[in-house]
Amino acid sequence: MPLCLRCGDELDGISRRSMAPSSSSSGATGRKGSAHRCHGCKKNLEVNSTMLVALKKAYHRACFKCYKCNSLLEGNRFVPVNDKPACNACALDKIAEKCSACKQTIAGTVIVALQKNWHPECFLCVSCQKPIANYGKVYRRGNNPCCPQCVEAVFNSRYTPPPTEKKINAKQVISSFENLLMSQPGIDFFLKFLVRDYSVENLLFWMDVQQFKNLSTAHDMQIYSGSIINKYIGQDSELEINIDEATRSALLANQRTPHVAMFDQAVGAILVLMRETSWPRFLISTECKNLVDFLNTPAPPPPSSSSSSSSSGSFPFDDAKGSSSSSSSSSSASSLDSSAGAAQGSSWNRSRKKISMRDLSSFSDNKSTTSSTPSSSS
């Protein structure tokens, strides 16, 4: 029985027929000079013999073979290849796609992403090696797929909003999208939500641009403007943002003459996009509830003088209670849990060259560790 190589469904199969004499006066079956020939050996099919009919062609039983390896196909499944019968192994080797990861042929479901083919079980994040669940939107690192938890920002330290004169309470933080972006806890819980929502590139772009505006030298602006464009704007960018073509073209054309306000139009479009799409969904999310619980939880008392000097303050997360928990080391980085906003924080890891989303999930509340120093390379 022939099979479709893509979906595995059965095609029209082999039928056995008895070759009977014909009363026709022109090329009658069984007569000398008959037009009924075996498609394999090209010899006449004998009268009263059993023939096989497959792919609209007739064969002797011993002539119905794989066109490549010559194995007999009667009673076996076969795959049509260029209108020729082939065994499954030869068909797969001839026409099936190869998995970009394991280099083996793909006989079943094929995932097409980043202009490559993958087995579903081989379609893993290049960083954490966990399966990528969302085939419709794939982030990448280099030429490899990357999950939203492991994507990297341009700068090697996370953005910290300017301090406010008065402390903003939980009700004020979630009262407007602008207030959310003025709060460090607000940004971090919103970031957790965007990881789960597969739209993390929007906030990372906004954060990188805020740090870009703090650069003091033309040399740094030249380097990091190019890095931001390559990361979010350019063709085949790793974290491409959704902006109109005119804005994109203007940035690509003017990247050789960077200035502080060069990204303002793109940032404005992304802020509108987050406010209109992500913000309403965030307000009804578990991450928003955890943010309110965290902000409403009294701060823990400062450590006593007898506490170990090696432990540093952290900005902890507890799934539903918002209770605090200290990190074991100031350089440890905790994994960002994208399921329902449950995460555990630890001190900010400054040893990495670039920020990844896993790093952004762990940070210190010690103000001396939250500077916006750019990385040395894009």
Side-chain angles (χ1 to χ4, degrees):
M1 183 69 67
L3 300 177
C4 173
L5 188 61
R6 175 74 65 179
C7 65
D9 289 345
E10 293 182 350
L11 306 174
D12 292 336
I14 308 170
S15 62
R16 295 178 178 84
R17 300 179 186 177
S18 178
M19 193 65 188
S22 172
S23 59
S24 172
S25 59
S26 59
T29 301
R31 293 181 181 179
K32 190 174 181 180
S34 169
H36 295 276
R37 296 176 181 274
C38 171
H39 191 73
C41 66
K42 308 302 180 184
K43 296 181 180 180
N44 291 340
L45 294 165
E46 299 174 357
V47 177
N48 295 325
S49 66
T50 301
M51 67 175 180
L52 301 178
V53 178
L55 304 177
K56 299 181 181 180
K57 298 178 179 70
Y59 296 85
H60 290 114
R61 296 176 64 178
C63 295
F64 188 58
K65 303 177 180 179
C66 171
Y67 84 99
K68 189 173 182 181
C69 68
N70 287 324
S71 60
L72 291 176
L73 295 177
E74 182 185 6
N76 298 320
R77 294 185 171 187
F78 68 95
V79 178
V81 177
N82 296 329
D83 208 29
K84 299 177 183 178
C87 65
N88 285 352
C90 292
L92 288 174
D93 183 65
K94 179 69 176 179
I95 65 175
E97 291 90 347
K98 300 294 192 294
C99 175
S100 178
C102 68
K103 311 304 180 184
Q104 301 300 312
T105 55
I106 306 175
T109 302
V110 181
I111 296 176
V112 181
L114 308 180
Q115 300 179 345
K116 299 177 183 179
N117 302 309
W118 315 77
H119 287 114
E121 62 271 20
C122 295
F123 194 54
L124 307 176
C125 172
V126 67
S127 179
C128 65
Q129 293 299 302
K130 293 182 179 179
I132 295 178
N134 189 345
Y135 300 156
K137 184 174 183 179
V138 181
Y139 297 108
R140 67 182 182 88
R141 183 181 296 176
N143 293 321
N144 298 302
C146 185
C147 72
Q149 295 181 5
C150 296
V151 296
E152 292 180 340
V154 170
F155 286 82
N156 72 344
S157 59
R158 66 185 179 87
Y159 167 74
T160 302
T164 57
E165 295 182 0
K166 295 182 180 180
K167 182 179 179 180
I168 304 177
N169 58 38
K171 184 176 181 180
Q172 292 172 320
V173 168
I174 64 172
S175 65
S176 71
F177 182 62
E178 289 71 19
N179 282 353
L180 182 78
L181 297 184
M182 293 171 59
S183 164
Q184 186 65 65
I187 289 175
D188 285 288
F189 277 96
F190 188 45
L191 202 56
K192 294 175 184 294
F193 166 76
L194 295 179
V195 166
R196 185 167 57 86
D197 194 53
Y198 266 80
S199 54
V200 67
E201 69 277 6
N202 295 324
L203 189 58
L204 289 184
F205 171 68
W206 176 81
M207 294 168 68
D208 273 338
V209 171
Q210 303 313 303
Q211 296 195 84
F212 170 78
K213 290 184 176 182
N214 292 328
L215 297 176
S216 58
T217 68
H219 178 263
D220 285 345
M221 292 182 65
Q222 184 73 55
I223 292 176
Y224 290 107
S225 63
S227 297
I228 291 174
I229 288 174
N230 291 336
K231 177 74 72 172
Y232 302 101
I233 309 294
Q235 185 178 8
D236 296 328
S237 53
E238 294 183 0
L239 301 175
E240 184 177 355
I241 57 174
N242 185 13
I243 56 176
D244 62 89
E245 192 59 33
T247 302
R248 189 184 306 275
S249 299
L251 284 170
L252 293 174
N254 299 323
Q255 61 179 315
R256 294 184 178 275
T257 56
H259 54 88
V260 173
M262 65 181 297
F263 294 107
D264 284 359
Q265 188 172 352
V267 165
I270 292 303
L271 287 174
V272 170
L273 181 64
M274 289 194 292
R275 185 186 297 110
E276 293 181 352
T277 60
S278 302
W279 169 245
R281 295 199 299 269
F282 172 73
L283 289 176
I284 58 175
S285 69
T286 305
E287 287 83 1
C288 184
K289 178 183 180 299
N290 290 343
L291 169 63
V292 172
D293 291 343
F294 176 80
L295 293 174
N296 287 333
T297 301
S304 62
S305 57
S306 59
S307 300
S308 173
S309 59
S310 62
S311 62
S312 63
S314 63
F315 189 63
F317 292 97
D318 188 76
D319 183 22
K321 302 177 182 178
S323 60
S324 63
S325 61
S326 61
S327 61
S328 60
S329 171
S330 61
S331 61
S332 64
S334 64
S335 298
L336 180 61
D337 188 348
S338 60
S339 60
Q344 178 184 359
S346 64
S347 298
W348 178 247
N349 180 3
R350 299 184 59 85
S351 63
R352 291 178 61 88
K353 184 178 180 181
K354 296 190 178 191
I355 298 178
S356 72
M357 287 306 304
R358 295 187 180 276
D359 298 324
L360 286 169
S361 69
S362 42
F363 52 91
S364 171
D365 61 356
N366 187 335
K367 300 300 182 182
S368 64
T369 66
T370 58
S371 62
S372 299
T373 305
S375 61
S376 58
S377 61
S378 58

